[in-house]
Amino acid sequence: MTAATTSPLAVGTWTIDPTHSTVGFSVKHLMVSKVRGTFEDFSGAIIIAEDGTPSVSAEISVASISTNNEQRDAHIRSADFFDVENHPTATFVSTSVSPKGDDYVLEGDFTLKGVTKPVTLNLEFNGVNPGMGHGPVAGFEASTVISRKDFGIDIEMPLEGGGVVIGDKITITLEIEAGQPAA
């Protein structure tokens, strides 16, 4: 999916279908397990230029976090973590896509809590299907690991016996289905 190769996607805009996509994450909890969550409200697009060059943009409403625990979710929305009143969205804008074997590397700028940092996602292209009468659909899986502290989420909650309640490394996983309207 670089300008040097033909994109497996048709030219035009492929819109992320939030009904058939998931934006999730996991983080170490109490040094021994992981808490997993999702964001329920997100949008984005993959634009394929005439020369086959792809670009990706996405926006996530961080207030839409769900870890299946309302008390924890409310704390994560607070100024201790996401500070959703001042920073309601996280964004991603790609800077490059390059092949890596059968898969791809997607690089871009990720903004969370007002801080923008470059991130690299390992991207698996799952193919294109003609869809169900509304135009073709494409599937992708992507993941990356970020440091929450790099984005100003530096709350420390030490444990009495050593370690911390919440780990620094956050694994972000994306399961994306994007569609292109039928011509």
Side-chain angles (χ1 to χ4, degrees):
M1 292 191 353
T2 65
T5 62
T6 304
S7 170
L9 300 177
V11 170
T13 300
W14 294 76
T15 304
I16 293 174
D17 177 356
T19 303
H20 297 102
S21 301
T22 304
V23 175
F25 67 91
S26 64
V27 60
K28 277 270 193 182
H29 181 252
L30 299 176
M31 308 292 294
V32 297
S33 64
K34 290 184 180 179
V35 168
R36 298 180 190 283
T38 59
F39 293 93
E40 304 300 319
D41 185 9
F42 55 90
S43 62
I46 303 157
I47 299 171
I48 307 299
E50 290 291 333
D51 67 358
T53 304
S55 64
V56 178
S57 63
E59 184 173 290
I60 301 166
S61 168
V62 291
S64 71
I65 190 167
S66 174
T67 64
N68 293 319
N69 181 298
E70 187 50 46
Q71 181 180 2
R72 177 175 46 221
D73 294 348
H75 189 205
I76 294 171
R77 290 181 192 106
S78 78
D80 285 345
F81 291 91
F82 289 149
D83 191 12
V84 298
E85 288 199 25
N86 294 306
H87 306 284
T89 59
T91 60
F92 176 82
V93 177
S94 67
T95 56
S96 72
V97 180
S98 54
K100 181 180 179 183
D102 291 338
D103 296 322
Y104 298 89
V105 174
L106 174 62
E107 296 186 27
D109 293 325
F110 182 59
T111 301
L112 177 64
K113 200 176 177 182
V115 177
T116 301
K117 298 279 185 183
V119 297
T120 300
L121 292 105
N122 296 311
L123 176 68
E124 181 180 343
F125 174 60
N126 295 329
V128 177
N129 185 285
M132 298 177 67
H134 301 288
V137 296
F140 306 88
E141 294 179 35
S143 65
T144 191
V145 177
I146 63 169
S147 162
R148 66 178 170 82
K149 292 177 185 176
D150 285 350
F151 293 91
I153 303 171
D154 54 6
I155 184 172
E156 290 297 331
M157 299 169 63
L159 293 169
E160 189 174 307
V164 292
V165 173
I166 303 163
D168 177 46
K169 300 297 180 196
I170 311 294
T171 300
I172 299 172
T173 54
L174 308 169
E175 302 276 343
I176 301 298
E177 184 175 299
Q180 191 175 45

